[in-house]
DNA sequence: TTTGATTGTTAGTAACCTTTACTAACGAAC
DNA sequence: GTTCGTTAGTAAAGGTTACTAACAATCAAA
């Protein structure tokens, strides 16, 4: 247990939520208070991206005057969000600057990944997304409300392990998740219309944000993986899912189901029958269990490589219209490296290039994620940072 | 000629441009001035959408107080943007309300469509998008700078025909157009890196906005056609282009080439050779010249219908991954009704449904546009309304 | 030592929205 | 006809916000 951390978090929770409600939304009125809140976020963003800025640096970067920045920074310091690092050591004329930084170790973020088979994983991170602590829970055979309870229990353990006030909780869940964090449908967990976000928020008394796992992964790739402003992240596992970033923003879709690529039919030459009833869905070509079965049936290395290349080609065929229509700059894959990173990836890249307009830029970059297995929890952490601090 | 209109337009042009620079962009500081400008836009938006609102109605809708709304409205009336309609006639207690409206007939918008074969078309509209005047110019065989001159000449005639101050000029051009309104590539007009927006702005001394024709059409469909917040508009003509609306916003793409669907390869069973060098591009299946050739070669009505259905199926095949990935709510087609509206449309709809996940909503609506041939100029007008007034 | 540059703060001002209070105008009830 | 309650719009005062102007502190370079 870490009473001081948890206490501080709940104690200051409500006040913080109000103050952090941020980012001037278009379509909404702007009162002076909102304007200031927006400017606060700008300062935080600047500090988040490049640590060791002075007030004068911030003024230049944000476009406000030094006076105003000083005022805002004083607020942020009082709230514990920003700290002074000391004087700049550079040798240059003028009064030495006082360097500032976000209080990166002063708050914790809790992030959960419910997308593994029979396993829930959770982490505690600092504001940089550095993982400080890990927990996991075996949930073999656990579904429905029991699974919700398991999430809550895992969350309790993480809250107890947090050594700093918890800024919020982010959850990457399989299935279709709406804006309010309700899991509309997650067959593997036996969930339908489960208001996970509301349930966890009530039990933990913390700000909670729930989103689809592939969408969270896309956010992580955009924030920590350096992904392009227009990119798609494809997650290959038991199923196939994707998250799309368009114009730097996550796409939600008409019915919160953006990225559901697994059951789109690929090609015009048949294929295997899918669990969904259709024939030739992307999952029948690409899902890991099917892929492994094909590899085991393969006689030699060449045959195995051909099987991987075929899967990559199918991925490319289904992505090409998306890449073309959205003019995506990057395609990122996440999943088992031993299967994806190699002829599968190369085949997908080549297929995309050959089936879209070879524009002057040579088509999108196609690569593996560098974030590894933590991609979903990192994305969940990004959700918290964005929602609570307005950062990114 | 209409000297008073043109004079007023140029005379008040610069002042208006400053005042209308609007819509608080995320990532930019908010000074009190910007905040007020944003609130002005909110008032205009409300008034634009539902005419006949009182100041008190606006206060309730926008969330500002009656006092502030009165102040903002006074500004807008002084600028000539808003007018009082008179007292509300409803019988209800209390002081009767003074109804307001945007000065819909007080300003003109000029919109051009350069996407026809050998023809430039232009219109003058009021703020509602009602077409008040039409002009066109034959440009058979005219390309390059001559074509730019032709656009400028057509624009001059439209400016002369405008009977009210011109708010701005919108242009829907074929090809790839970047954020600055430079036509990066438009083979049919012989344009490459032509700064059309800057050139027209300089010559006309009016605010000019240039965008791709299909993208403009998508904006028109979203604004005047009631299209869904997540929709794609596909324009079928000599080529095939598209405009995407995601989360209510137009998608530009990594290299300003979003919507370039024509040269995406469809299916895995070959096809005709395309002008671009690839085989089986969507254009080889769907472009009007190819389609007409196939229809003329057809022996009977059944064969013709089958040819149209085949084209629709190809369209569906290429759209299915896009619809699935973005979870689009609507697919709208624009082009010759006699060819598109019928078995082609039905076949496309059925193909999309059968190849994407049949979610609980039954897949996207698939329909023809109701805006007809004016769809591009209407979209160009929307660009002006958005850019100059912040409306929509 | 002087000069110039830079940082951060203090004091005063202008712009913005809000609260509070008011008048005008109307329907409904007695 | 009078009174009451409601709605619309305006006026004055107040608080918040960010700006300009001015200044002290600090340091490098001439």
């Amino acid at each position: 247990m870490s009473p001081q951390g948890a206490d501080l978090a709940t104690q200051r929770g409500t006040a913080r939520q109000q103050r952090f409600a941020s980012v001037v939304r278009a379509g909404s009125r702007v009162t002076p208070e909102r304007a200031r809140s927006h400017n606060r976020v700008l300062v935080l963003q600047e500090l988040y991206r490049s640590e060791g800025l002075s007030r004068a640096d911030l003024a230049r970067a944000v476009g406000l005057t030094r006076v105003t920045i000083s005022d805002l920074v004083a607020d942020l310091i009082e709230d514990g969000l920003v700290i002074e690092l000391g004087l700049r050591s550079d040798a240059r004329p003028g009064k030495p600057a006082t360097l500032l930084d976000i209080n990166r170790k002063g708050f914790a973020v809790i992030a959960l990944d419910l997308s593994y088979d029979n396993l829930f994983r959770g982490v505690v991170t600092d504001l940089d997304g550095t993982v400080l602590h890990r927990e996991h829970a075996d949930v073999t055979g656990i579904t429905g409300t029991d699974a919700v309870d398991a999430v809550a229990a895992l969350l309790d353990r993480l809250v107890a392990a947090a050594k700093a006030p918890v800024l919020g909780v982010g959850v990457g869940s399989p299935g279709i998740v709406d804006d309010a964090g309700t899991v509309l449908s997650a067959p593997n967990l036996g969930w339908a219309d489960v208001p996970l976000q509301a349930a966890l928020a009530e039990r933990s008394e913390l700000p909670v944000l729930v989103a689809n796992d592939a969408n969270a992964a896309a956010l992580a790739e955009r924030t920590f993986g350096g992904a392009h402003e227009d990119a798609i992240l494809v997650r290959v596992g038991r199923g196939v899912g994707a998250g799309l970033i368009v114009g730097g923003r996550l796409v939600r879709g008409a019915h919160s189901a953006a990225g559901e690529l697994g059951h789109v039919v690929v090609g015009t030459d048949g294929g295997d029958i899918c669990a969904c009833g259709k024939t030739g869905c992307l999952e029948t070509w690409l899902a890991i269990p099917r892929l492994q079965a094909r590899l085991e049936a393969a006689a030699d290395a060449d045959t195995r490589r051909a099987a991987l290349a075929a899967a990559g080609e199918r991925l490319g065929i289904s992505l090409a219209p998306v890449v073309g229509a959205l003019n995506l700059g990057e395609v990122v894959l996440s999943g088992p490296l031993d299967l994806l990173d190699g002829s599968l990836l190369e085949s997908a890249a080549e297929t995309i290039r050959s089936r879209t307009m070879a524009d002057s830029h040579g088509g999108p970059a196609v690569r593996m994620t560098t974030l590894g297995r933590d991609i979903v929890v990192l994305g969940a952490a990004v959700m918290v940072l964005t929602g609570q601090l307005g950062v990114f």
Side-chain angles (χ1 to χ4, degrees), chain A residues 116-120 137-148 150 187-191 238:
Chain A
Y116 282 75
D117 283 358
N118 304 319
L119 186 71
F120 288 169
D138 185 271
V139 290
T140 308
I142 298 178
T143 59
T145 51
D146 290 345
V148 176
N188 291 343
L189 291 170
W191 285 349
R238 184 144 52 133

Side-chain angles (χ1 to χ4, degrees), chain A residues 239-331:
Chain A
V240 177
L244 281 104
I245 306 286
V246 170
R249 306 161 74 97
L250 185 68
V251 178
R252 305 214 63 112
H255 307 294
S256 306
E260 295 293 319
L261 262 182
H263 296 285
V264 169
V265 177
V266 189
T268 45
D269 52 357
D272 294 353
I273 294 177
C274 181
C276 74
K278 300 200 294 296
T279 301
C281 290
L282 183 57
E283 278 197 11
T284 66
W285 298 100
L286 204 58
I288 297 301
R290 302 241 189 186
L291 206 49
Q292 274 171 334
R294 248 177 246 133
L295 290 180
E296 280 164 18
D300 55 29
D302 275 357
T303 319
R304 280 195 289 275
R305 195 173 306 122
L308 289 170
E313 188 189 358
R314 291 292 157 165
L315 177 60
I317 291 170
S318 67
L319 287 183
V322 181
V323 169
L326 292 170
N327 186 220
L328 295 179
E330 197 166 31
V331 175

Side-chain angles (χ1 to χ4, degrees), chain A residues 42-258:
Chain A
L42 289 184
V43 170
L44 278 179
Q45 282 197 9
E46 235 18 84
L47 280 174
Y48 193 93
R49 279 176 227 212
S50 41
E51 63 181 303
L53 294 174
S54 69
R55 291 170 175 82
D57 293 333
L58 284 170
R60 282 184 290 264
V62 174
L64 295 162
T65 62
R66 294 202 304 275
V67 181
T68 304
I69 293 291
S70 278
D71 200 38
L72 288 167
V73 167
D75 266 18
L76 292 168
I77 289 179
E78 198 185 354
D79 289 357
L81 280 172
V82 168
I83 51 176
E84 293 194 334
L85 295 178
L87 296 182
R88 176 179 277 153
S89 56
D90 296 20
R92 54 180 188 179
K95 175 178 171 179
T98 310
L99 299 184
L100 304 167
D101 194 14
I102 287 204
N103 189 359
R104 297 178 129 86
K105 309 295 172 192
F107 293 91
V109 172
I110 293 180
L112 281 75
D113 178 357
L114 315 183
S115 69
Y116 282 75
D117 283 358
N118 304 319
L119 186 71
F120 288 169
R121 297 184 42 173
V123 301
V124 180
T125 77
D126 62 16
L127 295 192
D128 277 326
T130 305
V131 174
L132 304 174
H133 183 83
R134 295 176 185 273
E135 295 274 346
H136 57 87
D138 185 271
V139 290
T140 308
I142 298 178
T143 59
T145 51
D146 290 345
V148 176
D149 291 338
V151 178
L154 178 59
L155 175 53
D156 284 343
R157 283 157 55 198
L158 289 160
V159 169
K163 293 192 173 59
V166 176
L167 196 62
V169 179
V171 182
S173 165
I176 297 171
V177 185
D178 74 7
D179 281 6
T182 295
V183 181
L184 302 180
S185 139
N188 291 343
L189 291 170
W191 285 349
D193 289 317
V194 173
L196 187 61
Q197 179 170 310
L200 294 178
E202 195 184 354
R203 291 207 209 181
S204 68
E205 295 188 336
L206 286 169
V208 177
L209 292 164
V210 180
N212 170 269
D213 60 328
N215 287 5
L219 284 176
E221 196 60 39
R222 167 77 178 139
T223 305
F224 297 120
H228 192 279
E229 203 179 41
D230 294 278
I232 185 170
L233 181 127
V234 180
R235 252 172 87 71
V236 183
R238 184 144 52 133
V240 177
L244 281 104
I245 306 286
V246 170
R249 306 161 74 97
L250 185 68
V251 178
R252 305 214 63 112
H255 307 294
S256 306

Side-chain angles (χ1 to χ4, degrees), chain A residues 15-25 28-45 62 64 68 71-73 75-76 79 81 386-391:
Chain A
R16 194 177 308 122
Q17 259 176 288
Q18 284 180 348
R19 302 217 60 165
F20 294 176
S22 55
V23 183
V24 176
R25 279 173 304 185
S28 163
R29 72 186 204 276
V30 180
T31 58
E33 191 185 348
R34 281 191 81 103
R36 185 169 175 92
S37 155
H38 177 92
N39 288 338
R40 269 174 61 111
V41 168
L42 289 184
V43 170
L44 278 179
Q45 282 197 9
V62 174
L64 295 162
T68 304
D71 200 38
L72 288 167
V73 167
D75 266 18
L76 292 168
D79 289 357
L81 280 172
T386 307
Q388 297 303 112
L389 299 183
V391 176

